[in-house]
Amino acid sequence: GPGHLAMMCAQAGAEHVIAVDGSAAIAEVARQAVDANGLSDKVTVLHADVESSSFQLVKKADVLVSNFAGPGLLGGGMLRALARARRDLLKPDGLVLPSRVELFVSGIEDREALAAAKAAWDVPVAGLSLAPAMMQVVRHPRVETLRRASQVATSTCSMLQLHTATLGVRTAALGFPSLPFSLTATRDERLFGLALHFDLGFGCPSGSQSRPDEEAISSSSGGDNQEEVAVFTSDPRAPPTHYQQLVLSFPRAVRIAKGDVLEGMMNLQPSGTRGSDLEISVELTFQGTTATTSYILVHGASKQTLL
């Protein structure tokens, strides 16, 4: 990025900060920002691929700070880069921040988005109607901030918890299959889809940390020995952030009554040549009927497949 986290670390007292970005243009922006803020003696900006085996530090780092969380946690492919940097660039007793990430799913109503899309596509273009395209548009996975906290119409379910100090490269690369979830309706409503959001926990060491090698598969329930001092959330009921939420719309709305339970299974798998795209499949069971929908989230585009 443009160097914001690196400069904050320098201001917080780091002896020296090495900031790495894979884009030459962004790295140059970061250098200029560092210089403009008078921190050139504290921050070194490098244009490099942190996942390349040829990239090494002269001295391993004490602390690794990364803005790794993307849409649905895995979107953007940064989780794998974080795992590789933790394995190869950090001291054995080094600290990773954020230290914990927890992925949640909530059921939502989405009337306003549907109405806005319908209004937009109902407008003729050069006298021609494009209204049939509307339904495909609104069903695409969307990265956005929900308009109202009251859109959440079910309980919220934690599907996955990871501790970054024990995150294996293989785990980050393969993704997370078969994540079960259960949602209970909190009111009578029409359920339009699911919203994925996450918490990022920041911990400080309270003892030695055990770290697996690259072959280890990190546990969703295992933890590193840290005391959490702060939590950042992208929950739609919290103040909005740039992370927003990942919205997965159903092909058809589901009418639910307060107390109804929806059971599901979700698969999250990185895809694309760099693992920056995200394939998602959702199997949802309600009142004895099971339906499966798959989504692909691509940088700048997305699509949905109905099975």
Side-chain angles (χ1 to χ4, degrees):
H4 193 213
L5 287 178
M7 291 186 286
M8 290 177 66
C9 291
Q11 289 180 328
E15 180 181 343
H16 198 83
V17 181
I18 299 174
V20 185
D21 198 280
S23 165
I26 296 298
E28 180 57 31
V29 169
R31 290 190 191 97
Q32 294 175 11
V34 167
D35 184 62
N37 285 277
L39 292 170
S40 297
D41 60 330
K42 289 281 189 179
V43 180
T44 298
V45 179
L46 301 177
H47 167 224
D49 180 2
V50 75
E51 292 194 66
S52 171
S53 59
S54 63
F55 178 72
Q56 298 291 334
L57 299 177
V58 175
K59 183 174 67 172
K60 290 195 173 184
D62 298 292
V63 182
L64 172 62
V65 181
S66 175
N67 183 19
F68 63 84
L73 181 60
L74 295 178
M78 286 300 296
L79 193 65
R80 186 178 65 183
L82 172 76
R84 190 265 164 181
R86 180 207 63 79
R87 183 193 66 187
D88 295 344
L89 307 177
L90 190 67
K91 291 180 179 178
D93 59 348
L95 177 65
V96 185
L97 294 174
S99 52
R100 177 185 64 86
V101 61
E102 189 166 4
L103 181 65
F104 300 91
V105 60
S106 302
I108 62 168
E109 66 87 2
D110 211 17
R111 290 181 179 84
E112 293 180 19
L114 180 64
K118 186 176 186 303
W121 286 94
D122 275 350
V123 177
V125 178
L128 302 173
S129 172
L130 298 178
M134 188 274 293
M135 290 310 297
Q136 291 303 316
V137 172
V138 299
R139 289 173 180 172
H140 287 178
R142 313 189 317 269
V143 180
E144 66 176 40
T145 299
L146 295 186
R147 292 170 168 83
R148 294 173 285 104
S150 61
Q151 285 183 249
V152 178
T154 71
S155 59
T156 292
C157 181
S158 172
M159 295 193 296
L160 175 71
Q161 185 170 193
L162 295 172
H163 294 266
T164 53
T166 56
L167 177 63
V169 175
R170 180 177 295 179
T171 300
L174 294 178
F176 305 99
S178 304
L179 300 176
F181 62 91
S182 178
L183 303 174
T184 301
T186 55
R187 63 177 186 266
D188 295 352
E189 188 57 88
R190 290 179 65 203
L191 206 62
F192 286 78
L194 304 174
L196 301 186
H197 47 96
F198 51 80
D199 286 357
L200 302 176
F202 293 79
C204 59
S206 58
S208 61
Q209 300 179 42
S210 61
R211 288 178 44 200
D213 60 26
E214 66 173 313
E215 300 303 320
I217 301 299
S218 63
S219 168
S220 62
S221 58
D224 43 319
N225 193 18
Q226 295 185 354
E227 178 185 355
E228 202 158 88
V229 295
V231 176
F232 176 94
T233 183
S234 66
D235 190 296
R237 291 154 294 198
T241 73
H242 73 285
Y243 286 111
Q244 304 180 295
Q245 293 88 40
L246 179 60
V247 176
L248 307 175
S249 297
F250 294 154
R252 289 170 294 278
V254 177
R255 188 169 294 279
I256 56 175
K258 184 176 180 179
D260 282 349
V261 177
L262 298 89
E263 303 284 348
M265 188 73 68
M266 188 174 298
N267 298 315
L268 302 174
Q269 183 176 2
S271 64
T273 56
R274 296 280 298 177
S276 57
D277 303 336
L278 179 60
E279 294 185 9
I280 306 171
S281 65
V282 179
E283 181 182 279
L284 190 67
T285 300
F286 178 59
Q287 295 182 342
T289 300
T290 299
T292 302
T293 306
S294 64
Y295 309 82
I296 301 177
L297 184 69
V298 183
H299 283 301
S302 58
K303 62 182 179 180
Q304 177 189 54
T305 302
L306 309 182
L307 303 179

